[in-house]
């Protein structure tokens, strides 16, 4: 997809007010590269970030550029509808040529909290990008922290409904999908880490199933 490194200027700011700042981006610690990733990559299971159908692409660990916490093993998630193409079965992301944010199915979609935890940072970039025109970072974003120290970043968000210090529960509405910062189109960037180790994200399959059932019931009404 594209690089979102400037997003993580925010993570450095979060680090400055954290008791564990020496273990977070923005400290004297070097950014990750392929050689510093752990031999075994751990994962974290979170609540799906939206009730809509999503497609997510994971950042590789062979990108050449330095990898930062929140970027290493991060994912870019886009809302899709599966009624495109000649068979009305293909996944597609927008209507028309996609030149307007409103063309994209994910634009303004409600984002849901990843777990029970605390909001440790909210950052706003007030400039909204037009699809196909990348803006300037850092992007609007929210960082959440779980009791065990796991942190999750949502990037390119819009209309945050939480503030720093707020407690959240898994699945709670927290923001909407936006298009700002180093972004070409409406989507959400996800990143997760604990201490100095990036984590690979997967969605709770039980929660996914519940959300899918709710979509089917709503479509039948």
């Amino acid at each position: 997809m594209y690089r979102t490194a400037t997003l993580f200027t925010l993570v450095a700011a979060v680090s400055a007010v954290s008791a564990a700042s020496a273990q977070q981006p923005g400290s004297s610690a070097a950014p990750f590269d392929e050689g510093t990733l752990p031999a075994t990559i751990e994962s974290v299971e979170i609540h799906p970030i939206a009730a809509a159908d999503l497609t997510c692409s994971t950042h590789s660990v062979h990108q050449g550029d330095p990898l930062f916490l929140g970027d290493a093993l991060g994912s870019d998630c886009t809302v899709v509808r599966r009624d495109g193409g000649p068979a009305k079965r293909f996944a597609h992301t927008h209507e028309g040529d996609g030149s307007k944010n409103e063309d994209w199915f994910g634009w303004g979609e409600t984002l849901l909290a990843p777990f029970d935890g605390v909001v440790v940072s909210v950052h706003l970039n007030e400039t909204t990008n037009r699809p196909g025109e990348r803006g300037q970072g850092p992007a609007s974003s929210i960082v959440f922290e779980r009791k065990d120290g796991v942190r999750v970043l949502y990037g390119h968000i819009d209309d945050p409904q939480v503030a720093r210090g707020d407690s959240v529960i898994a699945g709670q509405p927290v923001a909407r999908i936006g298009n700002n910062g180093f972004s070409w189109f409406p989507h959400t960037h996800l990143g997760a880490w604990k201490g100095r180790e990036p984590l690979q994200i997967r969605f709770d399959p039980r929660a996914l199933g519940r959300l899918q059932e709710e979509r089917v019931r709503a479509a039948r009404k």
Side-chain angles (χ1 to χ4, degrees):
M1 297 276 270
Y2 58 88
R3 300 291 298 163
T4 54
T6 59
L7 231 177
F8 308 103
T9 303
L10 167 65
V11 180
V14 174
S15 305
V17 298
S18 168
S21 60
Q23 301 300 317
Q24 299 298 340
S27 71
S28 59
F32 284 96
D33 59 32
E34 182 183 348
T36 60
L37 286 170
T40 300
I41 296 174
E42 301 293 336
S43 64
V44 59
E45 182 177 280
I46 67 171
H47 190 282
I49 65 168
D53 202 358
L54 296 167
T55 181
C56 298
S57 60
T58 301
H59 292 199
S60 76
V61 296
H62 299 284
Q63 293 178 316
D65 294 335
L67 300 178
F68 296 86
L69 291 177
D71 191 14
L73 306 180
S75 295
D76 298 311
C77 294
T78 310
V79 172
V80 297
R81 291 210 308 234
R82 301 187 184 277
D83 57 1
K88 301 297 182 182
R89 298 280 184 178
F90 298 174
H92 59 134
T93 57
H94 59 271
E95 296 177 325
D97 63 4
S99 61
K100 296 180 294 185
N101 284 311
E102 292 80 4
D103 293 341
W104 290 75
F105 305 137
W107 175 249
E109 179 71 29
T110 298
L111 289 167
L112 309 175
F115 42 57
D116 295 353
V118 176
V119 176
V120 296
S121 180
V122 177
H123 174 76
L124 285 179
N125 180 331
E126 296 183 355
T127 301
T128 298
N129 301 344
R130 294 180 58 185
E133 298 179 6
R134 190 175 73 167
Q136 297 296 316
S140 295
S141 50
I142 303 175
V143 177
F144 306 89
E145 184 170 22
R146 205 166 63 181
K147 279 186 177 180
D148 62 358
V150 168
R151 289 189 171 191
V152 167
L153 167 79
Y154 289 4
H156 312 298
I157 62 100
D158 191 22
D159 187 26
Q161 299 163 31
V162 293
R164 180 181 171 187
D166 285 352
S167 295
V168 296
I169 60 174
Q172 171 186 332
V174 293
R176 297 186 184 278
I177 293 177
N179 181 16
N180 51 70
F182 274 18
S183 170
W184 295 98
F185 55 86
H187 75 289
T188 299
H189 174 86
L190 297 179
W193 67 94
K194 183 176 182 181
R196 285 290 302 163
E197 291 193 9
L199 304 172
Q200 194 161 31
I201 295 172
R202 66 188 186 95
F203 295 143
D204 177 356
R206 295 168 295 277
L208 272 176
R210 290 193 296 270
L211 293 174
Q212 289 168 353
E213 290 170 3
E214 291 171 4
R215 289 203 304 270
V216 170
R217 286 196 296 268
R220 289 174 177 169
K221 292 181 179 179

